[in-house]
Amino acid sequence: MRCTVWIKLGVTMRHVSLAPHAARVFDRSMSTTVDFWFDASCPWTWITSRWLVEVSEARGFSVNWHAFSLAVLNEDKDIPADYRAHVEEGRLGAEVAAAVEQTLGSEVLGRFYTELGTRHFVGGRLNERDALAEALAAVGAPADLIDRAGEYADAVRASTAAGLKLVGDEVGVPIISFDGVAFFGPVISPAPHGQAALDLWDGCVALARTPGFFELKRSRNVGPIFE
């Protein structure tokens, strides 16, 4: 069986007969879980995470959340002083996230990230200690995880290394992984919603599954837009 289509070339129409394999629709089938690494101080990762939550609800997969530290990633890198200060300010949040993941699991970590990110980027309280305390309280996590955060420094390093092992150390977060493939991104602002959000996900899945595909990039012309 063959599929017949018409393709417009300039001002002419050409009749094309396609073999069955060329007429297949995009295969959206995948595992029921997706892994996501985040540093709670990164606004771009926050935007991507909200998009992923929307897509996960529409497509019926769950998200395994993982702590990541941009401070750990950049310890041996030559970066501007202001960015160094920013990532170091986020180190405590990453350690607390690792503490939540280690003691209460991924599902609670996801809820904690929602609470913390909302305070960081909607409430304008980035890296505030009180915002961490409120986020912990909102998910029923022990308040002393802030004071004990340093105990989870090794856990943060391990989780950061696990994410980077999938994509290489030339990137940061967000990192998404599923079905044995992984990628950095997408970096978006603002996040699409509805069908546009699903279309972006399908595109990311298709690219991630393509052997030999490595990079697709253009310069950012807007800052983080939280909608």
Side-chain angles (χ1 to χ4, degrees):
M1 180 178 179
R2 304 182 73 83
C3 176
T4 299
V5 297
W6 289 90
I7 299 177
K8 186 174 182 180
L9 302 173
V11 295
T12 65
M13 296 293 290
R14 179 182 177 187
H15 177 271
V16 179
S17 183
L18 299 178
H21 70 274
R24 293 173 186 161
V25 297
F26 176 70
D27 179 10
R28 295 189 177 91
S29 63
M30 55 176 285
S31 67
T32 57
T33 60
V34 170
D35 290 273
F36 186 90
W37 279 261
F38 70 90
D39 183 315
S41 70
C42 176
W44 302 98
T45 304
W46 169 250
I47 296 171
T48 302
S49 74
R50 298 309 92 188
W51 160 76
L52 185 63
V53 167
E54 179 177 336
V55 172
S56 71
E57 293 171 350
R59 287 286 164 81
F61 60 79
S62 62
V63 180
N64 291 329
W65 303 91
H66 303 284
F68 188 100
S69 174
L70 290 170
V72 169
L73 171 67
N74 288 285
E75 281 177 340
D76 60 350
K77 292 181 171 60
D78 183 17
I79 59 175
D82 57 345
Y83 185 63
R84 173 76 65 193
H86 166 71
V87 297
E88 286 298 332
E89 287 172 358
R91 187 184 289 267
L92 176 62
E95 292 176 346
V96 172
V100 172
E101 182 178 8
Q102 292 282 308
T103 60
L104 299 170
S106 172
E107 190 274 333
V108 177
L109 177 59
R111 292 193 284 116
F112 169 75
Y113 182 33
T114 294
E115 294 289 344
L116 184 59
T118 300
R119 287 165 173 78
H120 278 179
F121 304 113
V122 180
R125 301 168 60 195
L126 182 61
N127 294 329
E128 289 187 8
R129 189 181 180 92
D130 286 348
L132 278 169
E134 291 170 15
L136 288 172
V139 300
D144 68 348
L145 289 183
I146 297 178
D147 295 329
R148 295 168 45 213
E151 299 174 16
Y152 295 89
D154 288 343
V156 171
R157 290 183 181 279
S159 186
T160 299
L164 293 175
K165 185 177 180 180
L166 300 174
V167 295
D169 60 4
E170 297 178 352
V171 298
V173 281
I175 294 172
I176 293 175
S177 174
F178 61 91
D179 292 347
V181 297
F183 56 88
F184 160 74
V187 178
I188 47 180
S189 181
H193 298 286
Q195 186 58 48
L198 300 180
D199 290 344
L200 176 58
W201 173 252
D202 292 341
C204 288
V205 170
L207 290 174
R209 286 176 168 170
T210 301
F213 177 81
F214 298 105
E215 186 171 356
L216 180 70
K217 187 174 182 178
R218 60 184 173 187
S219 298
R220 304 175 201 179
N221 56 12
V222 297
I225 300 173
F226 312 116
E227 292 183 348

